């Protein structure tokens, strides 16, 4: 067995191709969530690490045989769980190619093509999201880490104004910064706030209205020691904070605003939906995912920051061997150095969609959520939110019935969706976020909800 034998590579990649195509062709006939029986196959992975080398063909065969029966069918069209999103075919194809190229996106000198394509993505995203043209973009694994980057930039910037060099002095003995966020802030945000050394005691919580938006009148007194964290797209209701009002106050008083817009920030790219993000360009930093609404491959988180110095001072790494390029070095905007060139597949998805394709994708997701809400309501379900974007909160009248309905839906194999607690109630949460979901899929979803009521 020789790993470099070209026929071996041909055979291996051919097999991956055939397996992938078969998977995508069949995927809508599999249960959306693997059955308990299928999941038993996962036990076949419980084995000692092989002593001898295996033929890669055998390795791939084993993976394909078990994997294609045990995956959660997110690349199909009837997965409404979490806010996960599907994957565009161009995303799969470009990612294959990028993986084959094995580019390290850290520095321009390591991969000029990744540097170029990230620079292009930066420009395109600035235009799509109507951001200030000083904005810098970094690519990370997801919105969680993107938020970490935005808050690290915020910390650096706010301390600098107080004449405290946080890189030099750290946090011990530092003046206090105040973190202000809504009571509906995503869990990843508080995690990152704590990771940055602020501690829960630095956090001031603003109550939210019935849709989960921060109540502007309930903001505490803002000053220049504040970092405000706002949200574009609540994971349950899909609602957006009032950026226009809050950012204006923050900007006047010298506070930093970061918007967590994991899936919602893209709303700005649709004429029909951009009223939701009004004033978002007034913020200082934004985090958003490619892998949710945009349907890029995992893992693609985007940090955008209006102040180049703040983000690079927070995240820049030094080393005698580091040779910075002339145009763009991706690693100066993110915590990591070596990483996959996710800018390649991000570029490919944006290039394929274009402005119109993206807008029509966004509009379809919104229409899909409205369709579900309307029909579920007619059937007697309570829809607990206004349909701002692509999220629907469903309640079956009481907790017991809601749990029963959820259980039936999750074991139906036809659709899958999750649950949450919303304003004290146990609810079912639907997210329309796959490019593939069409009227047919939505009708099937409605039918499952009807069956589950019986
Ligand atoms: C998904 C999500 C996150 C976390 O993003 P990851 O890409 O999973 O790291 C943060 N905030 C909101 C509002 C989200 O929807």
């Amino acid at each position: 067995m020789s790993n470099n034998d070209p026929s071996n590579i041909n055979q291996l990649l051919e097999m991956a191709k055939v397996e992938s195509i078969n998977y995508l062709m069949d995927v809508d006939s599999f249960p959306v969530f693997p059955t308990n029986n299928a999941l038993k196959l996962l036990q076949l992975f419980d084995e000692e690490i092989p002593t001898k080398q295996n033929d890669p063909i055998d390795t791939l065969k084993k993976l394909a045989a078990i994997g294609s029966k045990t995956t959660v069918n997110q690349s199909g069209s009837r997965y409404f769980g979490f806010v996960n999103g599907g994957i565009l075919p161009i995303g799969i194809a470009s990612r294959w190619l990028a993986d084959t190229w094995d580019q390290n996106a850290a520095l321009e000198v390591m991969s000029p093509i990744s540097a170029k394509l990230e620079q292009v993505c930066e420009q395109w995203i600035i235009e799509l999201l109507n951001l200030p043209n000083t904005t810098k973009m970094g690519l990370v694994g997801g919105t969680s880490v993107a938020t970490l980057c935005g808050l690290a930039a915020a910390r650096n910037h706010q301390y600098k104004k107080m004449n405290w060099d946080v890189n030099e002095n750290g946090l011990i003995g530092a003046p206090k910064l105040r973190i202000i966020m809504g009571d509906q802030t995503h869990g990843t945000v508080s995690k990152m706030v704590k990771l940055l050394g602020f501690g829960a005691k630095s956090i001031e919580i603003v109550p939210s209205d019935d849709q989960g938006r921060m109540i502007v009148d309930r903001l505490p007194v803002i000053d220049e020691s504040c970092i405000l964290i706002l949200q574009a797209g609540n994971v349950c209701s899909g609602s957006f904070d009032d950026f226009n009002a809050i950012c204006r106050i923050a900007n006047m008083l010298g506070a930093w605003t970061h918007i967590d817009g994991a899936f919602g920030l893209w709303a700005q790219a649709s004429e029909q939906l951009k009223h939701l993000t009004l004033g978002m360009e007034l913020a200082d930093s934004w985090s958003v995912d490619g892998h949710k609404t945009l349907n890029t491959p995992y893992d693609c988180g985007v940090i955008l920051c209006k102040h180049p110095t703040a983000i690079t001072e927070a995240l820049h790494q030094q080393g005698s061997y580091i040779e910075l390029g002339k145009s763009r070095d991706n690693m100066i905007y993110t915590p990591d150095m070596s990483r996959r060139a996710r800018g390649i597949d991000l570029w490919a998805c944006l290039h394929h969609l274009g402005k119109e394709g993206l807008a029509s994708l966004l509009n379809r997701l919104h229409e899909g959520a409205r369709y579900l809400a309307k029909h579920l309501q007619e059937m007697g379900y309570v829809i607990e939110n206004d349909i701002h974007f692509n999220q629907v909160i469903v309640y079956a009248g009481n907790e017991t019935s809601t749990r029963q309905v959820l259980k039936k839906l999750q074991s139906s194999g036809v659709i899958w969706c999750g649950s949450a607690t919303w304003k004290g109630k146990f609810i079912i949460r639907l997210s329309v976020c796959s490019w593939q979901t069409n009227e047919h899929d939505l009708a099937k979803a409605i039918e499952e909800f009807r069956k589950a009521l019986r």
Side-chain angles (χ1 to χ4, degrees):
M1 181 196 65
S2 153
N3 290 334
N4 292 326
D5 179 351
S7 67
N8 203 332
I9 292 178
N10 279 350
Q11 207 187 339
L12 196 60
L13 293 186
E14 196 58 44
M15 191 171 151
K17 181 181 106 179
V18 170
E19 287 291 344
S20 300
I21 294 172
N22 288 346
Y23 179 81
L24 290 176
M25 293 297 130
D26 291 348
V27 81
D28 273 344
S29 63
F30 301 151
V32 179
F33 195 89
T35 61
N36 287 336
N37 252 347
L39 287 174
K40 286 193 187 124
L41 287 172
L42 292 176
Q43 289 165 11
L44 296 170
F45 286 128
D46 291 327
E47 56 182 352
E48 296 292 317
I49 182 164
T51 308
K52 293 209 167 30
Q53 275 204 15
N54 279 301
D55 188 321
I57 294 285
D58 294 333
T59 302
L60 194 67
K61 261 188 197 152
K62 174 160 188 161
L63 178 63
I66 305 172
S68 58
K69 294 189 178 62
T70 52
T71 52
V72 172
N73 185 353
Q74 251 181 243
S75 52
S77 53
R78 293 189 307 276
Y79 185 83
F80 301 97
F82 301 91
V83 192
N84 278 359
I87 184 167
L88 292 164
I90 184 64
I92 303 177
S94 57
R95 174 139 194 203
W96 277 6
L97 198 53
D99 281 348
T100 308
W101 291 341
D102 192 30
Q103 298 293 282
N104 185 338
L107 294 169
E108 186 182 13
V109 70
M110 288 178 181
S111 176
I113 183 175
S114 331
K116 174 49 80 182
L117 291 182
E118 291 201 9
Q119 191 184 35
V120 171
C121 287
E122 182 179 272
Q123 281 314 306
W124 287 359
I125 292 176
I126 287 175
E127 190 182 336
L128 285 169
L129 299 183
N130 188 33
L131 299 176
N133 56 20
T134 55
T135 301
K136 288 292 168 194
M137 176 197 83
L139 296 183
V140 288
T143 288
S144 313
V145 179
T147 298
L148 176 77
C149 300
L151 298 181
R155 187 179 70 170
N156 189 282
H157 188 85
Q158 295 303 74
Y159 271 141
K160 210 169 162 184
K161 286 195 300 189
M162 297 173 168
N163 286 320
W164 183 265
D165 182 341
V166 70
N167 284 338
E168 191 60 28
N169 304 322
L171 291 173
I172 295 171
K176 194 170 174 292
L177 290 185
R178 297 163 57 210
I179 311 291
I180 294 164
M181 57 168 83
D183 63 10
Q184 282 289 322
T185 304
H186 197 267
T188 52
V189 173
S190 353
K191 171 159 130 183
M192 295 310 165
V193 165
K194 289 171 197 163
L195 192 57
L196 283 166
F198 290 119
K201 282 187 187 154
S202 312
I203 304 179
E204 296 168 41
I205 298 286
V206 183
S208 60
D209 66 11
D210 64 333
Q211 299 296 313
R213 296 170 292 221
M214 270 161 92
I215 301 173
V216 181
D217 288 345
R218 301 286 296 274
L219 280 173
V221 175
I222 307 289
D223 60 44
E224 54 173 26
S225 71
C226 293
I227 298 173
L228 274 75
I229 305 165
L230 316 181
Q231 185 165 254
N234 178 290
V235 282
C236 290
S237 71
S239 71
F240 292 62
D241 282 328
D242 185 345
F243 308 131
N244 200 40
I246 302 173
C247 293
R248 278 181 202 283
I249 298 172
N251 289 350
M252 206 160 59
L253 299 167
W256 180 289
T257 40
H258 176 84
I259 301 179
D260 169 8
F263 64 95
L265 208 68
W266 297 109
Q268 171 68 32
S270 150
E271 278 304 317
Q272 190 190 328
L273 296 167
K274 72 184 202 190
H275 63 96
L276 296 167
T277 51
L278 184 74
M280 73 172 237
E281 72 284 357
L282 301 171
D284 297 285
S285 55
W286 307 263
S287 39
V288 61
D289 272 324
H291 54 233
K292 292 179 176 173
T293 316
L294 198 58
N295 281 241
T296 71
Y298 287 106
D299 43 1
C300 183
V302 184
I303 172 62
L304 297 151
C305 179
K306 171 156 94 180
H307 310 278
T309 321
I311 188 157
T312 50
E313 283 184 0
L315 296 166
H316 189 176
Q317 165 205 342
Q318 274 153 11
S320 60
Y321 65 95
I322 290 172
E323 198 185 312
L324 291 182
K326 285 200 187 63
S327 51
R328 178 186 167 91
D329 292 290
N330 303 324
M331 68 175 233
I332 68 174
Y333 309 110
T334 65
D336 37 12
M337 184 173 180
S338 298
R339 64 168 169 83
R340 79 176 189 91
R342 48 176 76 91
I344 296 177
D345 34 88
L346 176 60
W347 171 86
C349 291
L350 290 171
H351 183 269
H352 153 67
L353 287 171
K355 285 185 191 173
E356 287 177 7
L358 175 55
S360 99
L361 169 62
L362 296 163
N363 296 344
R364 263 189 293 132
L365 302 180
H366 177 59
E367 293 306 330
R370 286 181 40 168
Y371 176 98
L372 289 176
K374 176 170 175 278
H375 287 84
L376 292 176
Q377 194 158 29
E378 282 168 8
M379 210 183 284
Y381 286 99
V382 183
I383 303 303
E384 295 280 338
N385 64 321
D386 298 339
I387 307 306
H388 306 274
F389 189 37
N390 64 333
Q391 301 293 107
V392 188
I393 304 177
V394 189
Y395 189 59
N398 60 61
E399 175 160 346
T400 314
S401 309
T402 309
R403 284 189 188 275
Q404 278 168 358
V405 167
L406 181 71
K407 209 168 158 201
K408 287 185 194 165
L409 296 173
Q410 288 188 338
S411 56
S412 71
V414 180
I415 67 165
W416 198 91
C417 51
S419 63
T421 303
W422 174 253
K423 304 274 168 187
K425 270 186 194 165
F426 179 86
I427 50 94
I428 297 172
R429 194 164 73 114
L430 289 167
S431 178
V432 185
C433 54
S434 167
W435 69 277
Q436 294 217 70
T437 304
N438 60 27
E439 299 79 38
H440 199 62
D441 301 303
L442 295 169
K444 280 190 179 171
I446 296 294
E447 190 47 36
E448 288 310 307
F449 269 94
R450 192 187 310 278
K451 282 190 211 159
L453 263 193
R454 282 180 212 140

